[in-house]
Amino acid sequence: MAEKVADLSGEEREKRIAELKAKMQASAKKAKAGAEEPGVQTVRVEAVKTVAPSVEAPTAMVVEKTATSTVAVESSAPIKSATNGAATNGAAEIARATTVATPEPVFVEDPPEVKARKEMNRREFLTYAWGGVLGLVTLQSAVGLFQFMMPRFKAGEFGGVFYLGPETALPQIGASPEAVTSGKFWLVNTEDQGPIALYMVCTHLGCLYKWEQANNRFECPCHGSKFTREGFFIEGPAPRSLDQFVVTIENGEVAVNTGRRINGAPAAESPARVIPT
Ligand code: FES
């Protein structure tokens, strides 16, 4: 049973007060440690008034609720210890209580300025989203236009430009045609037209005709169409003379553009046409 401090003799009273102070400090440490535990709110004593030994019971204490607010409690009743449950009187006592008071959620409507700010954020988001979509569409259109405008074939590939060197490097006038298979054309140096490039595909049904040196003409092995060295229709089922690619002289160099093809004149207009008798 706990003794009243007032009943103790002087030395014992001092000893008792010292014990209580030590206990108070230990409890304060425990309370501080407990406050650091998540989900636990600790009520601890911050300051204690010590009453005179001759006065019984009244005790004043300040209790701080560390979680959200500070509460001052003044009590004259005996305080029950949270640790051992024993009632103590008079001297300061530590009250350590653990509460799990979870505040109920309170829904507060946003003030008008906050609402306006949120609305503005939505509008800004939509504006940026539309801007991004329009930017992508514009970029895609620009890329498509660029690809359309740019040549699809590189130089030296069929469909592109072939550079054959200076005119002096061309076959002699009257010499046999020279096949440029990568460009799918026969290169012929003529007296009247200069260098010409004849498309290697027959104008009838697309066979590859050949140069027949013995006959000094082109002949198609498929259906027998025949053409002069300059590509004029002679005879056969072909509807027109041989097609040609555009030939230009660029900076003294012969260039054949296989991307630009000129259809041969109709067979009926060919000066070399042989009319069957
Ligand atoms: Fe050449 Fe028919 S494909 S004559």
Side-chain angles (χ1 to χ4, degrees), residues 116-134:
R117 200 181 312 128
K118 287 183 177 178
E119 183 66 23
M120 185 62 73
N121 288 338
R122 271 195 292 273
R123 285 181 191 164
E124 287 177 358
F125 171 76
L126 289 175
T127 301
Y128 289 138
W130 273 112
V133 170
L134 287 176

Side-chain angles (χ1 to χ4, degrees), residues 43-243:
V43 177
R44 62 189 174 89
V45 173
E46 284 291 329
V48 177
K49 279 184 185 175
T50 304
V51 297
S54 58
V55 181
E56 182 170 333
T59 300
M61 59 188 302
V62 176
V63 179
E64 182 186 45
K65 196 171 186 179
T66 58
T68 54
S69 61
T70 302
V71 180
V73 178
E74 194 166 315
S75 172
S76 60
I79 300 172
K80 199 171 187 177
S81 170
T83 55
N84 54 19
T88 57
N89 293 319
E93 192 62 45
I94 303 301
R96 183 175 184 274
T98 302
T99 58
V100 191
T102 303
E104 298 229 348
V106 178
F107 298 98
V108 180
E109 193 174 354
D110 291 336
E113 59 270 18
V114 176
K115 277 185 177 178
R117 200 181 312 128
K118 287 183 177 178
E119 183 66 23
M120 185 62 73
N121 288 338
R122 271 195 292 273
R123 285 181 191 164
E124 287 177 358
F125 171 76
L126 289 175
T127 301
Y128 289 138
W130 273 112
V133 170
L134 287 176
L136 282 175
V137 170
T138 304
L139 180 64
Q140 198 171 19
S141 303
V143 170
L145 183 63
F146 177 78
Q147 289 178 338
F148 177 77
M149 298 290 289
M150 292 298 291
R152 290 176 295 169
F153 303 100
K154 296 178 182 176
E157 292 181 355
F158 180 72
V161 178
F162 284 74
Y163 294 95
L164 306 178
E167 290 183 86
T168 54
L170 293 176
Q172 293 290 320
I173 295 175
S176 299
E178 190 175 290
V180 181
T181 53
S182 57
K184 300 181 182 177
F185 62 86
W186 289 93
L187 179 63
V188 185
N189 199 356
T190 66
E191 189 170 0
D192 298 336
Q193 305 175 62
I196 60 174
L198 300 173
Y199 187 31
M200 283 185 169
V201 176
C202 180
T203 55
H204 180 218
L205 294 178
C207 287
L208 296 178
Y209 57 85
K210 300 184 186 320
W211 172 252
E212 294 293 339
Q213 184 65 44
N215 299 328
N216 197 35
R217 64 188 182 192
F218 293 107
E219 296 180 2
C220 182
C222 293
H223 309 99
S225 292
K226 298 174 179 62
F227 307 91
T228 66
R229 184 172 168 276
E230 293 78 19
F232 291 118
F233 170 83
I234 298 174
E235 62 179 2
R240 64 180 187 270
S241 296
L242 295 175
D243 299 337

